[in-house]
Structure formats: structure tokens, C-alpha cells
Amino acid sequence: MSEISACGIVVPTDWVPLPIEPSDDIKAWAKSTAAELRDRSKAAGYELDKRALRKELQSRAEDSRSRDPFYAFAFYPDGFDTALATLEVELIHPDESTPEITLGWLAETFSADDFGPPQISRTDLPVGEAVRIRQDFAADSASRSGPGVLMETVTYGILPTGAESAVMLLVSWTVPGIAEEMETAADSIAQTVTVDF
């Protein structure tokens, strides 16, 4: 078994990579990315508020950075000044409490039954075996006084062939009515995961 030295995924162009390294200048990134997204949407016939988009981008990047993922992306289709979904990739390494990572351990550790039992299935991806978890969580609302929000998720716990670590791919969204599209996106992106040793 080998240690993963690099991990890669391929995402469509409307999934914007978020700056999550401590050295990244989030404000400068948000300003330039807001201009790019506004221009892209304008070319598609939509007008966006660049200031609102800049604030949203900055907030989204800071939120992902707080979890310290390996990669993070936000889904900004043309015409939207708020992200419809977030994608984060994380590496899970064995340790003293979990000397061997298995699909069963991933399914048990990363599932909850906040709103009924999760839908768990096993699948084979090009990079190796995986467990797919579809579930819903109670998330905090944007305002502290507001009601909670339903967060829908698709999580892939992937055991790349020959690796001792796992790759976790999490797609989450709170926008109602886009579950089918987000599940399809998560399934498609999971197929592109690669690792190097």
C-alpha cells in the first residue's frame, strides 16, 4: 500500500475553484473572479451585481478554507450571483484509531440520519472502489434568527487501488429542486478522480 502524493479531478467550467491556501489573497481573487463570472453571464444574456457576487465569492471561499479541504469548488451557472452548490475533496489518512480505512468504515463514519436513513451504495470507479452516500442534513441558516436549512449531499468515499488513504468527495447544496442535477454532477465528477503515489 502506498501514500497518495497528489489527487486530481475534472470539473465543468461552471464549477469555480476556490482559493483555500492560507497564502491566497481571497479579496483579490473574489474581485477578479466576480468580474470574470459577470462577463461570462453577460455574454449569455444575464446581468449580475458584481459587488454582491464578489461578497458571495469571498464568503464561499472563506467558508471552505475553514474546513481545510484538499480542493474546493463552487457551482456558479450563468445568471446566478450565488453558488448553487459546493464541492470539496479531502484525503483521509489512517491513524492509530483507524489503522485501516475500509468502505464500511467510510460509510459508517460519514453518514447520519438527520432526515431518515442515508442511501448508501457501493460502486467501482476508474481509480478504485467507492461508497456513495446520499443524505440530508440540518444546516444553519444565513441569519442566526432564521429557521434552519435543509442541506442535501452526495458523498463519495473512495479507496484508490493500492492506496492506504481514502479520497472523500462531497457535493452539497441547499437550493431546493436541483437534487437530480447535483447527483448527476457528483456521479460524473467522481468518475474523473485520479491519484498519484
Side-chain angles (χ1 to χ4, degrees):
M1 300 292 258
S2 301
E3 188 60 47
I4 296 173
S5 64
C7 173
I9 60 171
V10 177
V11 297
T13 55
D14 45 10
W15 286 88
V16 176
L18 302 176
I20 52 173
E21 294 300 320
S23 59
D24 291 334
D25 183 343
I26 290 180
K27 284 186 178 181
W29 168 84
K31 185 177 180 181
S32 64
T33 304
E36 289 170 23
L37 291 177
R38 186 168 179 244
D39 291 348
R40 188 183 81 189
S41 281
K42 192 171 187 175
Y46 303 100
E47 282 294 329
L48 296 181
D49 180 338
K50 191 165 84 173
R51 187 168 170 239
L53 182 56
R54 186 175 70 238
K55 288 173 79 172
E56 152 74 8
L57 284 161
Q58 185 172 334
S59 172
R60 194 68 66 158
E62 288 169 350
D63 179 56
S64 277
R65 182 188 276 185
S66 72
R67 287 184 291 280
D68 194 28
F70 197 76
Y71 293 120
F73 298 85
F75 179 48
Y76 287 93
D78 290 340
F80 288 87
D81 60 6
T82 60
L84 299 188
T86 301
L87 165 77
E88 293 180 350
V89 176
E90 185 60 70
L91 297 181
I92 306 294
H93 304 286
D95 57 22
E96 288 181 10
S97 64
T98 311
E100 181 184 3
I101 297 175
T102 64
L103 292 179
W105 180 84
L106 290 169
E108 183 179 330
T109 303
F110 292 94
S111 63
D113 56 2
D114 287 16
F115 294 98
Q119 300 168 12
I120 301 173
S121 58
R122 292 190 179 199
T123 187
D124 288 319
L125 297 174
V127 75
E129 295 181 311
V131 61
R132 181 187 188 272
I133 307 165
R134 171 68 175 91
Q135 60 192 333
D136 300 334
F137 294 98
D140 295 331
S141 68
S143 70
R144 294 179 187 194
S145 59
V149 175
L150 177 70
M151 178 185 288
E152 300 183 70
T153 66
V154 174
T155 304
Y156 273 88
I158 307 165
L159 294 177
T161 303
E164 59 185 28
S165 298
V167 175
M168 300 303 298
L169 185 148
L170 170 67
V171 176
S172 61
W173 63 96
T174 57
V175 178
I178 63 170
E180 188 174 332
E181 181 184 356
M182 291 298 94
E183 288 192 53
T184 299
D187 295 343
S188 175
I189 292 168
Q191 293 286 331
T192 72
V193 172
T194 59
V195 296
D196 291 324
F197 301 107

